[in-house]
Amino acid sequence: MRVVVVGAGFGGIAAAAELLRNGMDDVTLLEAAPEPGGTWFHNRYPGAACDVPSHLYSYSFAQRASWTRLFSHRDEILRYARETADALGITPRIVTDTLVTSCVWDDTDRTWTVRSRRAGVAEERVADAVVLATGQLDKPAFAAVEGMEDFRGHGFHSARWDEGYDLRGKRVAVIGTGASAAQLVPEIAPVVGHLTVFQRTGNWFLPRRDRPMPAALDRVLRRPWARRAWRQLIYHALELITLCVRHPRTAGRVGALVSGAHMRRQLPDPELRRKVWPDYPFGCKRVLLSSDFLPSLRRPDVELVTERIVRMTAEGPLTEDGRVHEVDCVIHATGFRTNVFMLPMEVRGTGGVSIADAWADGPRAHLGIMVSGFPSLFLMYGPNTNTSGGSILFFLEAQAAYVRRALELARRSGAVALDVRPEVEETGLEAVRARFAGTAWQACSSWYRTRDGRNVANWPGYMGEYARRTRRPLPAEFTFLQAR
Ligand code: NAP
């Protein structure tokens, strides 16, 4: 079985690890970047770190004896990804600098043709199965304001940090106050001359007491049983965030109280507090885990602007109150184009149907993994598999195991490929959509949702439910395709 995995971030590495461990060793990973690591390769802004504790933001099958911090920073996570890929024999199978342009199913041969470009040269590979592990957060998005090109200063996106630009003493604007801004603002505030933070919507915060791993805890966690118990503890603590999102009138109110107390403690000034305070239920947007973002807004050289940016001028952003905020540099911490997933990559399934057409009403996939009409094509971190509270790595492992089991199912049935039945995909999707009713996710606009309000990013339940739902692909759910 020839398997091509597109993307060598945590999703691609999880898929390759699972396949290799189970004897499927014809695996090639194609990575657009010069190095593996995915989002952790690209996001190198100051303060880039994970807000999921290290022991759960790591694979269950590659547990480290020791982490340097409770919440790992970017460099350590990237190192961990590389070490894991090395240890499991994945690294030699990664082809970097390779941008996949199309994956096309051949109805006659019942194989996939994967086309890519490497150093300007077109390449082609034939595969029996394709795993698209391109992630949801890989295409930077910019604020939809006019005149961006008019700005005469410097500018870059948080996920494409310009390490060659010296921020020291500069007048800097940060547009956006999401998870990335919450991490980078406290880091750059003491360095720049003046910082203006543009906030469109406030956020709920919970503390993130990031610190070096306490020596005593580190000693205890060197024992595998203790590590397993610690992971379980973190896992259940994070499921509580999902509980809050799922039940905004009960658990969600408790979440808002805890968050509100943390925010009040950090913002004694009532005026600043009023500006920052969110106007939607706890958990509708991602709850930000930070103990240093709000205090950094209290600095005399930091200004929080909540007036809307109406356009960009040559000098800087012009806000609705008529003020031009003159700056030397604009940092766009404005997130990602999330709802397009692997598009604009061309993906064509049976009958030459493109996935863009199959998704005309929005991205959809059975358990976020398989799309009917696209045999033996699998998505990692596909539609409706993001989490507001848990660890994405937990989801990726469940998906990797599902891919492997589905391929084994095909092989056992003597088939060369398998396609999820359309009615199975539809029934599953209806169940997923129904589970969003009454949750906090539906109470505001966010990157999780399409323009018409459907949440196509998030799994509507708990991590445990996802693991149970994906545990066993059933033969009745698929059409098996035999060799012609
Ligand atoms: P994001 O959460 O999408 O935040 C983008 C920010 O830009 C929002 O505050 C948004 O405001 C703002 N924005 C967009 N257009 C604007 C405009 N015209 N004027 C002013 N503000 C504007 O992006 P992100 O912070 O890069 O995070 C994306 C995701 O990456 C996170 O949700 C998380 O899943 C992941 N992430 C995780 C970690 C971690 O520690 N695990 C760290 C960083 C990122 P609105 O809220 O009004 O839209």
Side-chain angles (χ1 to χ4, degrees):
M1 183 103 56
R2 297 157 295 178
V3 184
V4 166
V5 179
V6 183
F10 270 101
I13 293 172
E18 177 76 24
L19 296 176
L20 293 175
R21 246 201 334 264
N22 288 278
M24 299 183 195
D25 57 5
D26 191 344
V27 179
T28 307
L29 298 93
L30 305 179
E31 169 56 56
E35 288 174 36
T39 197
W40 296 105
F41 170 76
H42 289 292
N43 282 277
R44 55 186 70 183
Y45 56 79
C50 191
D51 57 13
V52 175
S54 314
H55 286 84
L56 195 63
Y57 198 84
S58 46
Y59 299 118
S60 64
F61 55 82
Q63 282 294 293
R64 259 191 169 187
S66 180
W67 291 91
T68 63
R69 307 188 74 83
L70 284 171
F71 296 88
S72 301
H73 288 196
R74 178 250 180 192
D75 288 351
E76 189 167 12
I77 298 173
L78 192 56
R79 224 170 23 248
Y80 168 74
R82 287 180 186 152
E83 283 168 10
T84 306
D86 285 346
L88 300 179
I90 296 167
T91 307
R93 296 161 203 272
I94 301 175
V95 187
T96 55
D97 294 303
T98 302
L99 180 73
V100 173
T101 49
S102 72
C103 301
V104 178
W105 170 254
D106 184 326
D107 275 321
T108 312
D109 288 350
R110 299 196 153 161
T111 54
W112 284 94
T113 303
V114 179
R115 297 199 175 86
S116 52
R117 295 196 76 76
R118 188 167 201 242
V121 179
E123 297 177 327
E124 194 174 292
R125 289 176 176 83
V126 175
D128 300 296
V130 171
V131 180
L132 295 178
T134 50
Q136 293 191 24
L137 303 165
D138 64 323
K139 297 176 195 72
F142 291 85
V145 293
E146 274 176 47
M148 281 294 193
E149 58 296 339
D150 295 345
F151 180 54
R152 271 197 252 110
H154 196 62
F156 51 88
H157 192 275
S158 58
R160 299 289 181 272
W161 197 261
D162 184 350
E163 285 160 307
Y165 184 76
D166 189 358
L167 286 168
R168 273 178 300 181
K170 301 276 178 16
R171 297 166 304 168
V172 176
V174 171
I175 304 180
T177 50
S180 301
Q183 293 183 345
L184 72 90
V185 162
E187 295 294 319
I188 65 169
V191 175
V192 301
H194 186 270
L195 183 61
T196 314
V197 179
F198 292 88
Q199 173 194 282
R200 187 165 65 179
T201 320
N203 291 288
W204 291 102
F205 287 84
L206 286 174
R208 182 180 71 135
R209 301 217 168 77
D210 179 31
R211 65 198 127 148
M213 184 67 70
L217 184 61
D218 185 55
R219 266 196 307 280
V220 173
L221 293 180
R222 280 171 190 267
R223 298 178 179 90
W225 65 264
R227 247 185 343 257
R228 277 196 296 277
W230 182 245
R231 256 173 82 87
Q232 279 296 316
L233 190 73
I234 301 166
Y235 170 93
H236 290 293
L238 292 185
E239 293 280 58
L240 289 178
I241 296 184
T242 304
L243 182 82
C244 292
V245 185
R246 287 211 48 77
H247 302 284
R249 287 168 198 279
T250 49
R253 292 218 165 111
V254 179
L257 277 175
V258 174
S259 170
H262 165 63
M263 292 171 69
R264 271 188 209 92
R265 259 196 315 276
Q266 295 209 311
L267 293 173
D269 171 18
E271 178 54 19
L272 186 57
R273 195 188 289 172
R274 186 191 58 74
K275 283 168 94 173
V276 162
W277 214 261
D279 60 359
Y280 55 83
F282 179 83
C284 178
K285 285 177 197 278
R286 190 183 165 94
V287 175
L288 302 184
L289 279 83
S290 170
S291 297
D292 52 5
F293 174 73
L294 296 175
S296 68
L297 299 180
R298 289 160 48 191
R299 293 175 62 100
D301 48 2
V302 175
E303 184 187 2
L304 179 73
V305 173
T306 51
E307 285 77 21
R308 290 280 164 118
I309 301 173
V310 286
R311 63 167 290 127
M312 192 67 90
T313 70
E315 288 75 35
L318 165 70
T319 41
E320 58 190 349
D321 54 353
R323 244 176 104 190
V324 174
H325 302 264
E326 288 181 26
V327 291
D328 306 305
C329 176
V330 174
I331 298 170
H332 302 267
T334 37
F336 302 87
R337 290 190 289 125
T338 52
N339 293 343
V340 295
F341 293 87
M342 75 299 252
L343 303 176
M345 181 195 295
E346 186 192 3
V347 181
R348 289 190 183 277
T350 50
V353 173
S354 82
I355 208 156
D357 288 339
W359 284 0
D361 288 336
R364 47 184 288 166
H366 176 58
L367 298 170
I369 306 173
M370 291 189 80
V371 185
S372 184
F374 297 81
S376 294
L377 177 85
F378 303 93
L379 307 181
M380 303 289 291
Y381 196 17
N384 291 115
T385 65
N386 182 55
T387 169
S388 287
S391 168
I392 288 297
L393 267 60
F394 181 89
F395 285 78
L396 294 175
E397 279 193 44
Q399 288 152 14
Y402 184 94
V403 172
R404 190 258 305 165
R405 290 192 185 113
L407 290 175
E408 283 176 350
L409 202 58
R411 193 164 53 189
R412 276 204 303 278
S413 317
V416 288
L418 80 175
D419 193 5
V420 65
R421 291 179 181 277
E423 65 275 16
V424 172
E425 183 186 316
E426 189 56 39
T427 312
L429 269 170
E430 278 166 20
V432 162
R433 285 178 189 153
R435 250 174 95 60
F436 279 109
T439 66
W441 284 301
Q442 301 305 96
C444 70
S445 69
S446 69
W447 66 257
Y448 307 143
R449 302 173 80 197
T450 54
R451 275 206 192 107
D452 62 5
R454 266 172 308 146
N455 191 321
V456 294
N458 275 37
W459 175 247
Y462 301 92
M463 288 184 274
E465 273 174 278
Y466 188 75
R468 280 192 295 281
R469 290 286 309 280
T470 50
R471 192 157 291 149
R472 196 178 311 171
L474 298 172
E477 296 175 333
F478 303 99
T479 306
F480 292 93
L481 307 176
Q482 311 298 326
R484 285 208 205 260

